[in-house]
PDB file of all heavy atoms in Angstrom:
ATOM      1  N   PHE A   1     144.131 141.451  63.956  1.00 88.00           N
ATOM      2  CA  PHE A   1     143.515 141.797  65.228  1.00 88.00           C
ATOM      3  C   PHE A   1     144.515 142.297  66.255  1.00 88.00           C
ATOM      4  O   PHE A   1     144.188 143.115  67.092  1.00 88.00           O
ATOM      5  CB  PHE A   1     142.742 140.592  65.753  1.00 88.00           C
ATOM      6  CG  PHE A   1     141.729 140.115  64.751  1.00 88.00           C
ATOM      7  CD1 PHE A   1     141.962 138.985  63.994  1.00 88.00           C
ATOM      8  CD2 PHE A   1     140.568 140.836  64.540  1.00 88.00           C
ATOM      9  CE1 PHE A   1     141.028 138.565  63.039  1.00 88.00           C
ATOM     10  CE2 PHE A   1     139.647 140.433  63.592  1.00 88.00           C
ATOM     11  CZ  PHE A   1     139.878 139.287  62.846  1.00 88.00           C
ATOM     12  N   SER A   2     145.758 141.835  66.211  1.00 81.00           N
ATOM     13  CA  SER A   2     146.726 142.198  67.246  1.00 81.00           C
ATOM     14  C   SER A   2     147.210 143.644  67.095  1.00 81.00           C
ATOM     15  O   SER A   2     147.334 144.368  68.053  1.00 81.00           O
ATOM     16  CB  SER A   2     147.935 141.272  67.182  1.00 81.00           C
ATOM     17  OG  SER A   2     147.512 139.936  67.163  1.00 81.00           O
ATOM     18  N   ARG A   3     147.485 144.049  65.859  1.00 75.00           N
ATOM     19  CA  ARG A   3     148.086 145.394  65.694  1.00 75.00           C
ATOM     20  C   ARG A   3     147.455 146.123  64.521  1.00 75.00           C
ATOM     21  O   ARG A   3     148.010 147.070  64.007  1.00 75.00           O
ATOM     22  CB  ARG A   3     149.585 145.262  65.495  1.00 75.00           C
ATOM     23  CG  ARG A   3     149.924 144.400  64.320  1.00 75.00           C
ATOM     24  CD  ARG A   3     151.384 144.041  64.191  1.00 75.00           C
ATOM     25  NE  ARG A   3     151.500 143.159  63.035  1.00 75.00           N
ATOM     26  CZ  ARG A   3     151.281 141.866  63.069  1.00 75.00           C
ATOM     27  NH1 ARG A   3     150.980 141.283  64.197  1.00 75.00           N
ATOM     28  NH2 ARG A   3     151.379 141.146  61.978  1.00 75.00           N
ATOM     29  N   GLY A   4     146.312 145.664  64.083  1.00 77.00           N
ATOM     30  CA  GLY A   4     145.685 146.270  62.919  1.00 77.00           C
ATOM     31  C   GLY A   4     145.106 147.647  63.230  1.00 77.00           C
ATOM     32  O   GLY A   4     144.907 148.020  64.367  1.00 77.00           O
ATOM     33  N   VAL A   5     144.813 148.380  62.167  1.00 79.00           N
ATOM     34  CA  VAL A   5     144.316 149.747  62.314  1.00 79.00           C
ATOM     35  C   VAL A   5     142.841 149.834  61.963  1.00 79.00           C
ATOM     36  O   VAL A   5     142.293 150.912  61.863  1.00 79.00           O
ATOM     37  CB  VAL A   5     145.120 150.693  61.401  1.00 79.00           C
ATOM     38  CG1 VAL A   5     146.550 150.773  61.864  1.00 79.00           C
ATOM     39  CG2 VAL A   5     145.048 150.250  59.951  1.00 79.00           C
ATOM     40  N   CYS A   6     142.189 148.677  61.761  1.00 88.00           N
ATOM     41  CA  CYS A   6     140.814 148.693  61.281  1.00 88.00           C
ATOM     42  C   CYS A   6     139.810 148.664  62.423  1.00 88.00           C
ATOM     43  O   CYS A   6     140.132 148.321  63.548  1.00 88.00           O
ATOM     44  CB  CYS A   6     140.574 147.504  60.356  1.00 88.00           C
ATOM     45  SG  CYS A   6     141.623 147.583  58.893  1.00 88.00           S
ATOM     46  N   ASP A   7     138.590 148.986  62.073  1.00 90.00           N
ATOM     47  CA  ASP A   7     137.511 149.076  63.037  1.00 90.00           C
ATOM     48  C   ASP A   7     136.664 147.805  62.984  1.00 90.00           C
ATOM     49  O   ASP A   7     135.929 147.602  62.024  1.00 90.00           O
ATOM     50  CB  ASP A   7     136.665 150.321  62.702  1.00 90.00           C
ATOM     51  CG  ASP A   7     135.738 150.717  63.827  1.00 90.00           C
ATOM     52  OD1 ASP A   7     135.766 150.065  64.889  1.00 90.00           O
ATOM     53  OD2 ASP A   7     134.980 151.683  63.628  1.00 90.00           O
ATOM     54  N   TRP A   8     136.787 146.947  63.994  1.00 94.00           N
ATOM     55  CA  TRP A   8     136.035 145.692  64.067  1.00 94.00           C
ATOM     56  C   TRP A   8     134.917 145.828  65.097  1.00 94.00           C
ATOM     57  O   TRP A   8     135.117 146.381  66.162  1.00 94.00           O
ATOM     58  CB  TRP A   8     136.957 144.552  64.502  1.00 94.00           C
ATOM     59  CG  TRP A   8     137.951 144.144  63.476  1.00 94.00           C
ATOM     60  CD1 TRP A   8     139.231 144.585  63.353  1.00 94.00           C
ATOM     61  CD2 TRP A   8     137.750 143.200  62.416  1.00 94.00           C
ATOM     62  NE1 TRP A   8     139.837 143.974  62.283  1.00 94.00           N
ATOM     63  CE2 TRP A   8     138.957 143.117  61.694  1.00 94.00           C
ATOM     64  CE3 TRP A   8     136.671 142.429  62.004  1.00 94.00           C
ATOM     65  CZ2 TRP A   8     139.116 142.292  60.592  1.00 94.00           C
ATOM     66  CZ3 TRP A   8     136.829 141.584  60.908  1.00 94.00           C
ATOM     67  CH2 TRP A   8     138.034 141.526  60.208  1.00 94.00           C
ATOM     68  N   LYS A   9     133.743 145.291  64.770  1.00 94.00           N
ATOM     69  CA  LYS A   9     132.597 145.344  65.691  1.00 94.00           C
ATOM     70  C   LYS A   9     131.931 143.976  65.770  1.00 94.00           C
ATOM     71  O   LYS A   9     131.756 143.303  64.758  1.00 94.00           O
ATOM     72  CB  LYS A   9     131.543 146.330  65.154  1.00 94.00           C
ATOM     73  CG  LYS A   9     132.001 147.778  65.114  1.00 94.00           C
ATOM     74  CD  LYS A   9     131.683 148.481  66.423  1.00 94.00           C
ATOM     75  CE  LYS A   9     131.999 149.955  66.401  1.00 94.00           C
ATOM     76  NZ  LYS A   9     133.409 150.302  66.501  1.00 94.00           N
ATOM     77  N   GLN A  10     131.527 143.591  66.984  1.00 95.00           N
ATOM     78  CA  GLN A  10     130.710 142.404  67.157  1.00 95.00           C
ATOM     79  C   GLN A  10     129.271 142.788  66.793  1.00 95.00           C
ATOM     80  O   GLN A  10     128.805 143.858  67.151  1.00 95.00           O
ATOM     81  CB  GLN A  10     130.727 141.944  68.629  1.00 95.00           C
ATOM     82  CG  GLN A  10     132.103 141.588  69.143  1.00 95.00           C
ATOM     83  CD  GLN A  10     132.530 140.175  68.823  1.00 95.00           C
ATOM     84  OE1 GLN A  10     131.846 139.405  68.163  1.00 95.00           O
ATOM     85  NE2 GLN A  10     133.710 139.812  69.304  1.00 95.00           N
ATOM     86  N   ASP A  11     128.577 141.898  66.094  1.00 93.00           N
ATOM     87  CA  ASP A  11     127.169 142.133  65.777  1.00 93.00           C
ATOM     88  C   ASP A  11     126.334 141.933  67.035  1.00 93.00           C
ATOM     89  O   ASP A  11     126.467 140.918  67.706  1.00 93.00           O
ATOM     90  CB  ASP A  11     126.736 141.145  64.687  1.00 93.00           C
ATOM     91  CG  ASP A  11     125.355 141.427  64.140  1.00 93.00           C
ATOM     92  OD1 ASP A  11     124.514 142.016  64.877  1.00 93.00           O
ATOM     93  OD2 ASP A  11     125.073 141.048  63.006  1.00 93.00           O
ATOM     94  N   ALA A  12     125.484 142.895  67.352  1.00 92.00           N
ATOM     95  CA  ALA A  12     124.677 142.800  68.578  1.00 92.00           C
ATOM     96  C   ALA A  12     123.450 141.891  68.373  1.00 92.00           C
ATOM     97  O   ALA A  12     122.853 141.444  69.352  1.00 92.00           O
ATOM     98  CB  ALA A  12     124.230 144.192  69.002  1.00 92.00           C
ATOM     99  N   ASP A  13     123.077 141.623  67.126  1.00 93.00           N
ATOM    100  CA  ASP A  13     121.845 140.849  66.869  1.00 93.00           C
ATOM    101  C   ASP A  13     122.103 139.377  66.566  1.00 93.00           C
ATOM    102  O   ASP A  13     121.212 138.680  66.108  1.00 93.00           O
ATOM    103  CB  ASP A  13     121.093 141.450  65.666  1.00 93.00           C
ATOM    104  CG  ASP A  13     120.698 142.882  65.925  1.00 93.00           C
ATOM    105  OD1 ASP A  13     120.387 143.198  67.083  1.00 93.00           O
ATOM    106  OD2 ASP A  13     120.724 143.668  64.975  1.00 93.00           O
ATOM    107  N   ASP A  14     123.317 138.897  66.811  1.00 95.00           N
ATOM    108  CA  ASP A  14     123.607 137.493  66.526  1.00 95.00           C
ATOM    109  C   ASP A  14     123.499 136.659  67.816  1.00 95.00           C
ATOM    110  O   ASP A  14     123.042 137.155  68.842  1.00 95.00           O
ATOM    111  CB  ASP A  14     124.971 137.345  65.856  1.00 95.00           C
ATOM    112  CG  ASP A  14     126.095 137.922  66.731  1.00 95.00           C
ATOM    113  OD1 ASP A  14     125.823 138.367  67.863  1.00 95.00           O
ATOM    114  OD2 ASP A  14     127.244 137.916  66.280  1.00 95.00           O
ATOM    115  N   ASP A  15     123.919 135.402  67.756  1.00 95.00           N
ATOM    116  CA  ASP A  15     123.754 134.484  68.896  1.00 95.00           C
ATOM    117  C   ASP A  15     124.962 134.417  69.829  1.00 95.00           C
ATOM    118  O   ASP A  15     124.826 134.058  70.986  1.00 95.00           O
ATOM    119  CB  ASP A  15     123.445 133.076  68.366  1.00 95.00           C
ATOM    120  CG  ASP A  15     122.207 133.079  67.476  1.00 95.00           C
ATOM    121  OD1 ASP A  15     121.158 133.581  67.916  1.00 95.00           O
ATOM    122  OD2 ASP A  15     122.313 132.624  66.329  1.00 95.00           O
ATOM    123  N   PHE A  16     126.143 134.693  69.318  1.00 95.00           N
ATOM    124  CA  PHE A  16     127.343 134.648  70.155  1.00 95.00           C
ATOM    125  C   PHE A  16     128.425 135.542  69.555  1.00 95.00           C
ATOM    126  O   PHE A  16     128.330 135.950  68.408  1.00 95.00           O
ATOM    127  CB  PHE A  16     127.874 133.217  70.325  1.00 95.00           C
ATOM    128  CG  PHE A  16     128.071 132.476  69.025  1.00 95.00           C
ATOM    129  CD1 PHE A  16     129.184 132.712  68.229  1.00 95.00           C
ATOM    130  CD2 PHE A  16     127.152 131.533  68.608  1.00 95.00           C
ATOM    131  CE1 PHE A  16     129.368 132.028  67.028  1.00 95.00           C
ATOM    132  CE2 PHE A  16     127.329 130.842  67.401  1.00 95.00           C
ATOM    133  CZ  PHE A  16     128.432 131.098  66.625  1.00 95.00           C
ATOM    134  N   ASP A  17     129.437 135.861  70.353  1.00 95.00           N
ATOM    135  CA  ASP A  17     130.547 136.701  69.918  1.00 95.00           C
ATOM    136  C   ASP A  17     131.739 135.862  69.484  1.00 95.00           C
ATOM    137  O   ASP A  17     131.923 134.733  69.948  1.00 95.00           O
ATOM    138  CB  ASP A  17     131.022 137.613  71.067  1.00 95.00           C
ATOM    139  CG  ASP A  17     130.102 138.801  71.274  1.00 95.00           C
ATOM    140  OD1 ASP A  17     129.227 139.046  70.416  1.00 95.00           O
ATOM    141  OD2 ASP A  17     130.250 139.483  72.308  1.00 95.00           O
ATOM    142  N   TRP A  18     132.541 136.448  68.633  1.00 96.00           N
ATOM    143  CA  TRP A  18     133.865 135.911  68.336  1.00 96.00           C
ATOM    144  C   TRP A  18     134.771 136.341  69.478  1.00 96.00           C
ATOM    145  O   TRP A  18     134.594 137.410  70.056  1.00 96.00           O
ATOM    146  CB  TRP A  18     134.397 136.512  67.039  1.00 96.00           C
ATOM    147  CG  TRP A  18     133.737 136.026  65.796  1.00 96.00           C
ATOM    148  CD1 TRP A  18     132.478 136.279  65.376  1.00 96.00           C
ATOM    149  CD2 TRP A  18     134.333 135.219  64.779  1.00 96.00           C
ATOM    150  NE1 TRP A  18     132.228 135.683  64.170  1.00 96.00           N
ATOM    151  CE2 TRP A  18     133.363 135.026  63.767  1.00 96.00           C
ATOM    152  CE3 TRP A  18     135.597 134.644  64.617  1.00 96.00           C
ATOM    153  CZ2 TRP A  18     133.625 134.281  62.627  1.00 96.00           C
ATOM    154  CZ3 TRP A  18     135.857 133.909  63.472  1.00 96.00           C
ATOM    155  CH2 TRP A  18     134.878 133.723  62.499  1.00 96.00           C
ATOM    156  N   ASN A  19     135.763 135.536  69.821  1.00 94.00           N
ATOM    157  CA  ASN A  19     136.673 135.892  70.908  1.00 94.00           C
ATOM    158  C   ASN A  19     138.128 135.767  70.487  1.00 94.00           C
ATOM    159  O   ASN A  19     138.461 134.941  69.635  1.00 94.00           O
ATOM    160  CB  ASN A  19     136.419 134.973  72.115  1.00 94.00           C
ATOM    161  CG  ASN A  19     135.096 135.318  72.772  1.00 94.00           C
ATOM    162  OD1 ASN A  19     134.915 136.420  73.250  1.00 94.00           O
ATOM    163  ND2 ASN A  19     134.170 134.385  72.736  1.00 94.00           N
ATOM    164  N   PRO A  20     138.979 136.593  71.115  1.00 94.00           N
ATOM    165  CA  PRO A  20     140.418 136.478  70.799  1.00 94.00           C
ATOM    166  C   PRO A  20     140.949 135.139  71.303  1.00 94.00           C
ATOM    167  O   PRO A  20     140.562 134.664  72.344  1.00 94.00           O
ATOM    168  CB  PRO A  20     141.048 137.624  71.606  1.00 94.00           C
ATOM    169  CG  PRO A  20     139.921 138.496  72.045  1.00 94.00           C
ATOM    170  CD  PRO A  20     138.691 137.672  72.043  1.00 94.00           C
ATOM    171  N   ALA A  21     141.840 134.536  70.512  1.00 93.00           N
ATOM    172  CA  ALA A  21     142.524 133.297  70.895  1.00 93.00           C
ATOM    173  C   ALA A  21     144.011 133.493  70.625  1.00 93.00           C
ATOM    174  O   ALA A  21     144.374 134.106  69.615  1.00 93.00           O
ATOM    175  CB  ALA A  21     141.979 132.121  70.083  1.00 93.00           C
ATOM    176  N   ASP A  22     144.848 133.005  71.522  1.00 91.00           N
ATOM    177  CA  ASP A  22     146.292 133.189  71.365  1.00 91.00           C
ATOM    178  C   ASP A  22     146.831 132.354  70.223  1.00 91.00           C
ATOM    179  O   ASP A  22     146.473 131.197  70.055  1.00 91.00           O
ATOM    180  CB  ASP A  22     147.034 132.805  72.651  1.00 91.00           C
ATOM    181  CG  ASP A  22     146.743 133.795  73.764  1.00 91.00           C
ATOM    182  OD1 ASP A  22     146.689 135.011  73.479  1.00 91.00           O
ATOM    183  OD2 ASP A  22     146.562 133.368  74.913  1.00 91.00           O
ATOM    184  N   ARG A  23     147.706 132.967  69.436  1.00 87.00           N
ATOM    185  CA  ARG A  23     148.367 132.232  68.351  1.00 87.00           C
ATOM    186  C   ARG A  23     149.350 131.236  68.950  1.00 87.00           C
ATOM    187  O   ARG A  23     149.929 131.463  70.005  1.00 87.00           O
ATOM    188  CB  ARG A  23     149.151 133.205  67.467  1.00 87.00           C
ATOM    189  CG  ARG A  23     148.264 134.035  66.583  1.00 87.00           C
ATOM    190  CD  ARG A  23     149.127 134.717  65.533  1.00 87.00           C
ATOM    191  NE  ARG A  23     148.364 135.746  64.860  1.00 87.00           N
ATOM    192  CZ  ARG A  23     148.828 136.951  64.577  1.00 87.00           C
ATOM    193  NH1 ARG A  23     150.049 137.292  64.901  1.00 87.00           N
ATOM    194  NH2 ARG A  23     148.067 137.815  63.959  1.00 87.00           N
ATOM    195  N   ASP A  24     149.540 130.130  68.226  1.00 81.00           N
ATOM    196  CA  ASP A  24     150.483 129.093  68.677  1.00 81.00           C
ATOM    197  C   ASP A  24     151.886 129.654  68.865  1.00 81.00           C
ATOM    198  O   ASP A  24     152.598 129.285  69.786  1.00 81.00           O
ATOM    199  CB  ASP A  24     150.547 127.934  67.664  1.00 81.00           C
ATOM    200  CG  ASP A  24     149.197 127.253  67.512  1.00 81.00           C
ATOM    201  OD1 ASP A  24     148.361 127.376  68.438  1.00 81.00           O
ATOM    202  OD2 ASP A  24     148.969 126.626  66.460  1.00 81.00           O
ATOM    203  N   ARG A  25     152.260 130.560  67.983  1.00 78.00           N
ATOM    204  CA  ARG A  25     153.614 131.130  68.035  1.00 78.00           C
ATOM    205  C   ARG A  25     153.753 132.153  69.170  1.00 78.00           C
ATOM    206  O   ARG A  25     154.846 132.645  69.430  1.00 78.00           O
ATOM    207  CB  ARG A  25     153.956 131.816  66.714  1.00 78.00           C
ATOM    208  CG  ARG A  25     153.854 130.882  65.512  1.00 78.00           C
ATOM    209  CD  ARG A  25     154.277 131.575  64.232  1.00 78.00           C
ATOM    210  NE  ARG A  25     153.477 132.765  63.910  1.00 78.00           N
ATOM    211  CZ  ARG A  25     152.294 132.741  63.297  1.00 78.00           C
ATOM    212  NH1 ARG A  25     151.760 131.605  62.927  1.00 78.00           N
ATOM    213  NH2 ARG A  25     151.658 133.861  63.039  1.00 78.00           N
ATOM    214  N   GLY A  26     152.639 132.527  69.766  1.00 77.00           N
ATOM    215  CA  GLY A  26     152.689 133.469  70.889  1.00 77.00           C
ATOM    216  C   GLY A  26     152.820 134.917  70.469  1.00 77.00           C
ATOM    217  O   GLY A  26     153.031 135.777  71.321  1.00 77.00           O
ATOM    218  N   ASP A  27     152.718 135.237  69.165  1.00 81.00           N
ATOM    219  CA  ASP A  27     152.852 136.629  68.740  1.00 81.00           C
ATOM    220  C   ASP A  27     151.476 137.215  68.404  1.00 81.00           C
ATOM    221  O   ASP A  27     151.090 137.307  67.271  1.00 81.00           O
ATOM    222  CB  ASP A  27     153.798 136.740  67.534  1.00 81.00           C
ATOM    223  CG  ASP A  27     153.313 135.900  66.354  1.00 81.00           C
ATOM    224  OD1 ASP A  27     152.421 135.057  66.542  1.00 81.00           O
ATOM    225  OD2 ASP A  27     153.820 136.128  65.241  1.00 81.00           O
ATOM    226  N   GLY A  28     150.749 137.562  69.434  1.00 85.00           N
ATOM    227  CA  GLY A  28     149.434 138.163  69.217  1.00 85.00           C
ATOM    228  C   GLY A  28     148.330 137.124  69.226  1.00 85.00           C
ATOM    229  O   GLY A  28     148.478 136.029  69.730  1.00 85.00           O
ATOM    230  N   TYR A  29     147.209 137.496  68.627  1.00 92.00           N
ATOM    231  CA  TYR A  29     146.034 136.620  68.676  1.00 92.00           C
ATOM    232  C   TYR A  29     145.249 136.685  67.375  1.00 92.00           C
ATOM    233  O   TYR A  29     145.494 137.534  66.534  1.00 92.00           O
ATOM    234  CB  TYR A  29     145.141 136.984  69.860  1.00 92.00           C
ATOM    235  CG  TYR A  29     144.565 138.373  69.816  1.00 92.00           C
ATOM    236  CD1 TYR A  29     143.321 138.598  69.254  1.00 92.00           C
ATOM    237  CD2 TYR A  29     145.245 139.471  70.338  1.00 92.00           C
ATOM    238  CE1 TYR A  29     142.760 139.875  69.190  1.00 92.00           C
ATOM    239  CE2 TYR A  29     144.702 140.739  70.293  1.00 92.00           C
ATOM    240  CZ  TYR A  29     143.466 140.940  69.722  1.00 92.00           C
ATOM    241  OH  TYR A  29     142.927 142.198  69.659  1.00 92.00           O
ATOM    242  N   TYR A  30     144.318 135.740  67.234  1.00 95.00           N
ATOM    243  CA  TYR A  30     143.380 135.715  66.123  1.00 95.00           C
ATOM    244  C   TYR A  30     141.985 135.685  66.727  1.00 95.00           C
ATOM    245  O   TYR A  30     141.830 135.585  67.946  1.00 95.00           O
ATOM    246  CB  TYR A  30     143.648 134.522  65.207  1.00 95.00           C
ATOM    247  CG  TYR A  30     143.514 133.169  65.849  1.00 95.00           C
ATOM    248  CD1 TYR A  30     142.326 132.450  65.772  1.00 95.00           C
ATOM    249  CD2 TYR A  30     144.581 132.601  66.556  1.00 95.00           C
ATOM    250  CE1 TYR A  30     142.200 131.204  66.361  1.00 95.00           C
ATOM    251  CE2 TYR A  30     144.454 131.360  67.141  1.00 95.00           C
ATOM    252  CZ  TYR A  30     143.261 130.665  67.057  1.00 95.00           C
ATOM    253  OH  TYR A  30     143.131 129.441  67.643  1.00 95.00           O
ATOM    254  N   MET A  31     140.962 135.797  65.885  1.00 96.00           N
ATOM    255  CA  MET A  31     139.596 135.728  66.395  1.00 96.00           C
ATOM    256  C   MET A  31     139.028 134.348  66.104  1.00 96.00           C
ATOM    257  O   MET A  31     139.227 133.800  65.015  1.00 96.00           O
ATOM    258  CB  MET A  31     138.720 136.805  65.741  1.00 96.00           C
ATOM    259  CG  MET A  31     139.139 138.219  66.118  1.00 96.00           C
ATOM    260  SD  MET A  31     139.119 138.563  67.893  1.00 96.00           S
ATOM    261  CE  MET A  31     137.379 138.918  68.128  1.00 96.00           C
ATOM    262  N   ALA A  32     138.311 133.778  67.086  1.00 96.00           N
ATOM    263  CA  ALA A  32     137.845 132.406  66.952  1.00 96.00           C
ATOM    264  C   ALA A  32     136.481 132.205  67.579  1.00 96.00           C
ATOM    265  O   ALA A  32     136.063 132.960  68.462  1.00 96.00           O
ATOM    266  CB  ALA A  32     138.846 131.468  67.630  1.00 96.00           C
TER     267      ALA A  32
END
């Protein structure tokens, strides 16, 4: 998610979104 080249989309028909969360090491983020 931090530096990837892929196309990510949130589903509009679901109940909630995934959100970025900071990695413990502080180098970018993951989705949570």
Side-chain angles (χ1 to χ4, degrees):
F1 304 103
S2 310
R3 58 189 178 276
V5 294
C6 297
D7 195 2
W8 290 94
K9 295 270 185 285
Q10 300 275 3
D11 188 334
D13 300 325
D14 58 3
D15 303 306
F16 52 78
D17 282 349
W18 288 69
N19 289 298
D22 291 320
R23 286 193 193 137
D24 298 338
R25 303 183 301 276
D27 58 346
Y29 62 92
Y30 61 95
M31 294 302 278

